[in-house]
Amino acid sequence: VDDLISRAGGIALGGLQHLPEPMSDDMIVEAPLNMTGYGLAVPIIGAIDLVRPRRRLVLDHKTTSSFRYMKEPEELGRDPQAITYGVKCLELGAELHGMDEGPVTFGHVYYLTRGTVASATSFVTISASNLRALFDEVMVQSVAGMAALTQVQVQDVPTNTEACSDFQGCPFRSRCAALG
């Protein structure tokens, strides 16, 4: 356990320069996310790593074995997490500071898990109107699709036996085998 804690601490040290000062005026760490309404079939629930509503800034921490897996700004601009967290940042800005317009900057801070201790960032800035439109276009439809999938019965899902050993093996292999 001590080795794991030591390794995690070393990984985190690589990104200290990307973190705001500890006592920033409007920093919310692990901001609760519970979005109901918005035309969603089911709520979106989670926590935002770091949000600064007054500055319209959202940071999310990611670990990666290689920086080649980083999302580029163009990709972040349509990322469901960026869209959802951005809308929540606007909501918090309105609630806490009376300001709900203006662009939101969303960023990933990536921490290397292999090799040298290092970090990198990727940021995108999205206007409030684009965030709201993307939320309606991307998230409302995605959540509706996910909600519909919860009604599917396992026997109705087509099998893909070529994927049974992917990602260290499918945990449902025995269930599939029982269904033939």
Side-chain angles (χ1 to χ4, degrees), residues 2-17:
D2 289 340
D3 288 341
L4 181 61
I5 292 170
S6 176
R7 176 78 177 126
I11 291 169
L13 283 175
L16 288 180
Q17 72 273 19

Side-chain angles (χ1 to χ4, degrees), residues 124-142:
V124 65
T125 300
I126 311 169
S127 72
S129 60
N130 280 349
L131 276 171
R132 290 185 181 102
L134 286 166
F135 190 87
D136 291 341
E137 175 188 329
V138 175
M139 295 309 300
V140 172
Q141 291 178 19
S142 293

Side-chain angles (χ1 to χ4, degrees), residues 3-5 9 14-15 30 34 51 63 65 67 80 87 92 102 119 121 131 142-144 147 160 165 172:
D3 288 341
L4 181 61
I5 292 170
E30 290 295 313
N34 188 346
V51 63
T63 55
S65 61
F67 289 140
V87 168
L92 287 168
S119 65
T121 60
L131 276 171
S142 293
V143 170
N160 178 2
S165 59
F172 301 106

Side-chain angles (χ1 to χ4, degrees), residues 34-177:
N34 188 346
M35 299 180 82
T36 57
Y38 299 91
L40 295 166
V42 294
I44 298 174
I45 299 170
I48 303 172
D49 289 349
L50 179 78
V51 63
R52 300 184 75 185
R54 184 175 309 193
R55 296 199 169 122
R56 292 187 188 89
L57 172 68
V58 177
L59 287 180
D60 193 61
H61 303 283
K62 301 291 183 191
T63 55
T64 184
S65 61
S66 170
F67 289 140
R68 73 173 184 249
Y69 299 116
M70 288 176 51
K71 289 187 178 182
E72 296 296 324
E74 306 80 47
E75 190 178 1
L76 278 181
R78 292 196 56 82
D79 182 76
Q81 185 181 42
I83 295 164
T84 302
Y85 289 9
V87 168
K88 183 63 178 181
C89 182
L90 290 171
E91 187 179 279
L92 287 168
E95 179 184 319
L96 300 174
H97 306 294
M99 48 195 283
D100 64 348
E101 292 307 313
V104 172
T105 299
F106 176 86
H108 281 166
V109 178
Y110 289 92
Y111 303 85
L112 276 185
T113 58
R114 293 187 185 158
T116 186
V117 173
S119 65
T121 60
S122 181
F123 286 92
V124 65
T125 300
I126 311 169
S127 72
S129 60
N130 280 349
L131 276 171
R132 290 185 181 102
L134 286 166
F135 190 87
D136 291 341
E137 175 188 329
V138 175
M139 295 309 300
V140 172
Q141 291 178 19
S142 293
V143 170
M146 287 184 243
L149 287 174
T150 66
Q151 305 306 310
V152 173
Q153 300 299 312
V154 68
Q155 62 269 17
D156 297 332
V157 176
T159 59
N160 178 2
T161 56
E162 292 180 21
C164 294
S165 59
D166 290 354
F167 305 105
Q168 300 176 354
C170 176
F172 301 106
R173 279 185 291 199
S174 62
R175 216 167 159 191
C176 287

